[in-house]
Amino acid sequence: MKYSKIIVLCFVLVSFLSVAQTKVYQSEKEKIHDLVHTKLKVDFNFGNKTLNGEAWISAKPHFYSTNFITLDAKAMLIHQVSMNSIPLKYTYDDGLKLIIDLPKTYKRNEEFTIYIKYTAQPEKVYQKGSAAITSAKGLYFINADGSEKNKPTQIWTQGETEASSCWFPTIDAPNQKTSQEIFITVPDKFVTLSNGELISQTKKGNNRTDYWKFDQKHAPYLFFMGIGEYEIIKDSYKNIPVNYYVEKEFAPYAKDIFGLTPEMMGFFSDKLGVEYPWNKYSQIVGRDYVSGAMENTTAVMHAEQAYQKPGQLIDENIQENTIAHELFHHWFGDLVTAESWSNLTLNESFANYSEYLWREYKYGKVNAEMHFYENIDAYLKGQNQDKNLVRYTYEDKEDMFDLVSYNKGGAILHMLRTYLGDEAFFLGLKQYLETYKYQAAEVHQLRLIFENLTGKDLNWFFNQWYFGSGHPNIEISYDYNTLRKTVTVNINQLQTDAFKFPFAIDIFEGVKRTRHLVFVEGKDASFTFPYTKQPNLIQVNADGSLVCEINENKVLSDFIFQLKHADNYAHRREAFIEVAKRQEDKDAFNAVVEALDDTSYKIRILALQQIDLINKFSKKDVIQKIMTIANTDVKTLVQAEAINTLGKLTDPLLKPIFEKGLQSKSYSVLGKALVSLYYVDKPAAIAKSKQLPDEVRKILATPLTRIFIEENDESELPFVAKSVLSGIYLTGDDSSKVLFQKAFKQISETNNSEAIQNLVDDMIEKGNQFKGFNFDKVVINLMRDMIKEQQKANKPNREKNIEIIKTGMARLL
């Protein structure tokens, strides 16, 4: 599973809103029975958002003989339970567990099949969900009555962690594995998607029944149904169908969004030495999805952020990492599944690391290092550093889905790869997958695979990184012996418990770089190295692989040299941040200028954002260089930032650059060009802004909002209102948040009832979508603020506007 930005936001919100609970030991769910096969027949009542279901559950005792079976079945109406048409006694008092008396005592491996007729009532389910946002209803009806004119009617399911039992009875645990078949009856206009192969389609009147069959075994949380009016764009990997289910508007761009999937399948198959293990691979995009994406076996679900137009894709496919992430789960998570949520690292850490592997292969070392840095930076800035990667005590299983299981876990795999070497690491993964395929596993089994393969004891590694918390906090100092021409690197760990780790140290003598690999055993360690000439720089953690924090004293000249010559992106970025603070120094300024040519496009962007052009007339050569970048950089995001930098100069002579940007196919370039043009030719920028097609205006909401709010254009407030909530809570850019907060205040005070209505409608939609995580309370407070502003403004439509807001509050409450 991959999270969206709004979910990350709500992780932050819940830290303030949640109440502490007692942590208890969380064991693997006891296997009293093993699921064998699940057969379902379902249809839907769109009016009351329920599912009519029939289930045939085949199971057998795991070891001990039993005369009853307990199934998870949340908030259902149970109409019939039988075996071979003979009714069975059952209890279902709590609306959670269906306990069925069997007609006899069944022995180990003695299989039986139970028939259950039921109605699933997802709207009556309330449990915290791994989407971390809403009650985990398992089954979601989107615009079921068709009342929302701009939203299609859809149905989709979300099983992780234990919500599949909201729509069919099962043993809802990750250590269960079952094959499946599903008969889905829907109105004929709808397309369906489920796990496995579509065997047949049978029409009856205005309805159609699709029969999906999945012969291999996987965990119940990976069951999936997706239903809606979709175009199916067909692709393939070898002889395996690879299909993309998208709304008609995005059908022309489906292969631009998802088209690297077959190449990813080939790359991961080759890298792991295990061929893609399933009979198809489909991806579907759902409206109002409660997460970023989900790895349902052969039927991956993506949130609508996956939808992108060519003007966005030319800048960056923001879904590409997620596509790789969910695909890799089909080996780690689907083929071999974590036996318990405590061992979630066996699913999510691997999926997280797949993003690095893909970028390393497809785009090269620097690109992969950028991604790795951002992952680690998010973990280091988070509040989960005291958590073990494998946690047998937690408050709720959903708490496992955090920056430790994802980001830190992925980085730990990279450290293990670095320590063992590529051959051993990937051969170990191959053996792990082949040994435990179609089974559940725990972390110790992964360790034993690597130990048996390499002959190394890895308890120390797993104890500190998997079963321990935190990371090294290192203080570095240097002692030079100029007579012997040696330098001693002193490593002092400041955290309480010492870590052991391999450590790469680069020594630069001029441009000559020598790498030394050492192993740190304790809290204090020193290593002495010879040199020929006084080193210009010593770079510790030179390969950037160790998850750690490093403290060392460096002067400006060290950082300038590091920026120019360090091998790893993270070190060049670190140096740039320090050098950019001191641009009054000529050498520092020149180093920032040189960074405009860095191999990392993200450092080029940083250089454009932070270069000091205050005395622009003495820096004409640099401005000319930036003008060239605006026209020719291979990355459109860099071109856009160059235009933004030039726009801050408010120089009418630069107008041709901005006008050229308006012709770009890149929406990032177009947006920055519009704002830059606004500051030198307001009428031209405003006219262009109003002439843009609606679909482009929607994508360019942030730059257009900047223009319309600064222009105080009341006529555009209804447009701005549709993006305010996302602008405040979804953007990672502080200046954009400030902009949308200003827009919110302006709309709150306006007489424009259409703008008020649009903002309230968006609040209702997002408040309901993320209600389970208290986002509705955030929205209610914003609505109260709007009422206060309307009362103070005292404009002609005040009463009408207040009524609109109060009606919205009532709908949420």
Side-chain angles (χ1 to χ4, degrees), residues 1 15 39 54 59 147 161 190 248 359 373 385 410 446 492 516 519 537 540-541 548 592 594 615 688 780 812:
M1 180 185 290
S15 66
K39 176 182 174 181
E54 295 178 272
S147 60
T161 49
F190 290 132
K248 187 173 183 178
R359 303 202 78 84
Y373 164 80
Q385 296 174 17
L446 178 68
N492 178 26
H516 301 274
F519 195 90
L537 177 72
V540 297
N541 194 24
C548 65
V592 171
E594 288 184 37
N615 187 3
K688 179 66 175 177
I780 290 290
L812 272 176

Side-chain angles (χ1 to χ4, degrees), residues 66-68 83 101-107 110:
T66 64
N67 60 4
F68 71 93
M83 183 184 294
D101 291 334
L102 301 175
K104 68 168 193 172
T105 298
Y106 284 82
K107 298 179 180 178
E110 190 175 0

Side-chain angles (χ1 to χ4, degrees), residues 7-20:
I7 291 169
V8 173
L9 158 73
C10 289
F11 277 142
V12 176
L13 288 176
V14 80
S15 66
F16 297 102
L17 295 169
S18 61
V19 178

Side-chain angles (χ1 to χ4, degrees), residues 20 78 150 152 165 210 259 328 333 459 477 552 569 692 751 762:
I78 305 298
N150 294 320
S165 51
D210 291 354
F328 208 65
N459 275 295
S477 62
E552 58 182 321
Y569 163 79
L692 292 171
N751 192 50
D762 192 46

Side-chain angles (χ1 to χ4, degrees), residues 480-496:
Y480 286 91
N481 187 320
T482 55
L483 292 177
R484 294 183 177 179
K485 289 192 173 183
T486 61
V487 58
T488 299
V489 180
N490 304 303
I491 301 167
N492 178 26
Q493 297 185 52
L494 303 178
Q495 78 284 348
T496 302

Side-chain angles (χ1 to χ4, degrees), residues 568-808:
N568 187 271
Y569 163 79
H571 299 315
R572 296 201 308 282
R573 188 188 188 282
E574 171 197 44
F576 176 83
I577 297 301
E578 295 302 319
V579 171
K581 295 175 183 176
R582 310 180 201 180
Q583 291 183 64
E584 70 281 357
D585 181 280
K586 184 178 180 180
D587 290 338
F589 177 76
N590 288 338
V592 171
V593 173
E594 288 184 37
L596 294 171
D597 296 315
D598 195 275
T599 53
S600 162
Y601 78 85
K602 293 194 174 182
I603 288 182
R604 300 201 299 275
I605 288 175
L606 276 174
L608 288 163
Q609 291 172 336
Q610 298 193 29
I611 193 166
D612 182 1
L613 296 177
I614 290 176
N615 187 3
K616 63 184 179 182
F617 298 108
S618 64
K619 299 174 180 177
K620 288 183 179 180
D621 290 345
V622 178
I623 292 171
Q624 186 62 48
K625 182 182 182 70
I626 296 172
M627 290 170 65
T628 301
I629 292 171
N631 288 323
T632 63
D633 196 280
V634 296
K635 192 74 176 173
T636 53
L637 291 172
V638 179
Q639 294 178 23
E641 199 56 52
I643 289 173
N644 188 49
T645 300
L646 295 172
K648 294 173 185 177
L649 300 176
T650 61
D651 185 349
L653 294 177
L654 295 171
K655 181 179 175 181
I657 296 282
F658 310 145
E659 289 177 327
K660 183 178 179 182
L662 298 181
Q663 308 306 315
S664 176
K665 294 179 180 179
S666 158
Y667 286 163
S668 65
V669 172
L670 174 56
K672 298 293 187 182
L674 272 172
V675 174
S676 296
L677 181 64
Y678 175 75
Y679 292 119
V680 296
D681 189 344
K682 289 186 178 182
I686 293 168
K688 179 66 175 177
S689 298
K690 293 179 179 290
Q691 292 165 6
L692 292 171
D694 287 345
E695 66 175 42
V696 178
R697 280 164 58 90
K698 182 179 179 181
I699 293 167
L700 295 180
T702 298
L704 291 180
T705 295
R706 189 171 300 281
I707 292 171
F708 296 147
I709 293 300
E710 291 200 23
E711 193 64 18
N712 200 20
D713 188 342
E714 283 272 329
S715 69
E716 291 289 357
L717 287 183
F719 164 78
V720 171
K722 296 176 182 179
S723 303
V724 165
L725 210 58
S726 295
I728 294 173
Y729 292 103
L730 287 183
T731 180
D733 181 348
D734 289 341
S735 67
S736 294
K737 289 180 182 178
V738 171
L739 168 68
F740 281 103
Q741 287 166 347
K742 183 178 179 181
F744 173 76
K745 188 173 190 310
Q746 195 166 323
I747 294 169
S748 298
E749 299 169 347
T750 188
N751 192 50
N752 191 322
S753 297
E754 184 184 0
I756 294 287
Q757 186 67 65
N758 286 352
L759 178 54
V760 168
D761 287 347
D762 192 46
M763 288 174 153
I764 292 169
E765 180 178 356
K766 289 185 171 62
N768 279 324
Q769 185 179 354
F770 307 117
K771 194 169 190 174
F773 227 69
N774 295 308
F775 195 62
D776 57 325
K777 293 182 174 61
V778 174
V779 170
I780 290 290
N781 287 332
L782 290 174
M783 287 180 170
R784 291 187 176 123
D785 291 341
M786 291 174 69
I787 290 174
K788 291 177 184 177
E789 292 300 327
Q790 282 290 310
Q791 289 170 335
K792 285 193 294 184
N794 196 23
K795 291 181 180 178
N797 286 344
R798 181 183 70 170
E799 296 305 321
K800 178 181 178 181
N801 292 344
I802 290 175
E803 185 59 31
I804 291 171
I805 300 166
K806 286 183 175 179
T807 300

